[in-house]
Amino acid sequence: MQPLTTANIFNIQRFCLHDGPGIRTIIFFKGCPLRCKWCSNPESQSFLPELLYHSRLCIHCGICEKVCPSQAITLNDKGVRIDQSKCQRHGTCVEECPSGALTIAGESLSINSIIKIVVLDRHYYENSGGGVTLSGGEPFAQPEAAIELLRACKLEGFHTAVETCGHFDSGIVRKLDGLVDLFLLMLRKSIQQLIRPVLE
């Protein structure tokens, strides 16, 4: 038996209203080939899991600095500083942080485990005309996982949408026939101005 395809995901957000029609579940893929300054999800850019610090939750207790086996965390007057080059993402600091100020963005999930979450909201999709949106990051930077997830969603009868920067191998497009109902293409303003006359 072949191993199940996995995807590197940094968030699964349920009950969303702004990334396609109806009530949706958004699957955020980790990793993007671009580094746009206006990126809504900068934590999605790296393909590797990352330790994130939420300063508004920090109580400056210093526990994270003490328990970090890689000595990647230091605490100063401004809060926690993370040396990502040292961080091995053991997760000890996340487990020990009493205020939830530290989280790890990015984990490997099987397509089956993602679908188990997605199907919980079938009733909402059916009654609102919603479905599932793949976002990120760039979903097609993990093409096999994105295509398998779209296929699994279609087998469940769900509407599918993909938010993409459009920066992926064009050969993938041929494999998407019948799998994507809506593309949400994120373009730079200068590119939009360039192509608008063509579209009109």
Side-chain angles (χ1 to χ4, degrees):
M1 184 176 178
Q2 287 186 327
L4 295 172
T5 300
T6 60
N8 194 7
I9 302 297
F10 80 90
N11 193 15
I12 298 177
Q13 197 171 349
R14 298 166 65 192
F15 306 107
C16 297
L17 300 172
H18 304 293
D19 299 87
I23 296 172
R24 310 191 71 78
T25 297
I26 306 178
I27 314 297
F28 290 92
F29 280 66
K30 190 93 163 71
C32 182
L34 303 181
R35 294 293 178 269
C36 302
K37 291 180 180 178
W38 58 87
C39 181
S40 306
N41 304 311
E43 68 274 27
S44 73
Q45 292 180 353
S46 172
F47 287 88
L48 299 173
E50 294 173 279
L51 181 62
L52 302 182
Y53 170 58
H54 309 280
S55 59
R56 60 180 169 50
L57 298 176
C58 184
I59 59 173
H60 301 89
C61 64
I63 292 174
C64 56
E65 184 178 26
K66 292 173 187 170
V67 300
C68 177
S70 306
Q71 298 181 330
I73 299 175
T74 53
L75 183 67
N76 57 34
D77 294 341
K78 295 180 181 178
V80 167
R81 182 184 173 278
I82 302 167
D83 185 338
Q84 294 288 354
S85 67
K86 287 184 179 178
C87 180
Q88 298 296 308
R89 291 159 289 280
H90 295 102
T92 308
C93 58
V94 175
E95 293 169 9
E96 297 294 328
C97 179
S99 65
L102 294 171
T103 58
I104 294 179
E107 63 178 321
S108 183
L109 297 175
S110 71
I111 300 304
N112 277 2
S113 65
I114 297 170
I115 285 294
K116 284 180 182 176
I117 296 169
V118 167
V119 297
L120 294 174
D121 296 325
R122 180 189 301 275
H123 183 71
Y124 295 106
Y125 310 148
E126 291 173 351
N127 285 284
S128 70
V132 180
T133 299
L134 276 54
S135 189
E138 171 51 59
F140 295 131
Q142 300 180 56
E144 295 84 4
I147 290 167
E148 186 173 326
L149 180 55
L150 288 166
R151 189 173 291 121
C153 288
K154 279 299 169 192
L155 287 172
E156 294 290 341
F158 299 149
H159 179 278
T160 58
V162 178
E163 291 183 312
T164 175
C165 67
H167 192 81
F168 57 84
D169 184 341
S170 61
I172 294 168
V173 175
R174 294 187 201 93
K175 300 177 182 178
L176 300 176
D177 187 31
L179 297 181
V180 182
D181 298 304
L182 176 66
F183 283 98
L184 301 165
L185 187 58
M186 306 301 157
L187 298 174
R188 291 179 60 171
K189 189 174 182 182
S190 58
I191 297 174
Q192 289 176 336
Q193 290 170 343
L194 183 67
I195 68 170
R196 188 175 293 122
V198 178
L199 296 176
E200 292 172 351

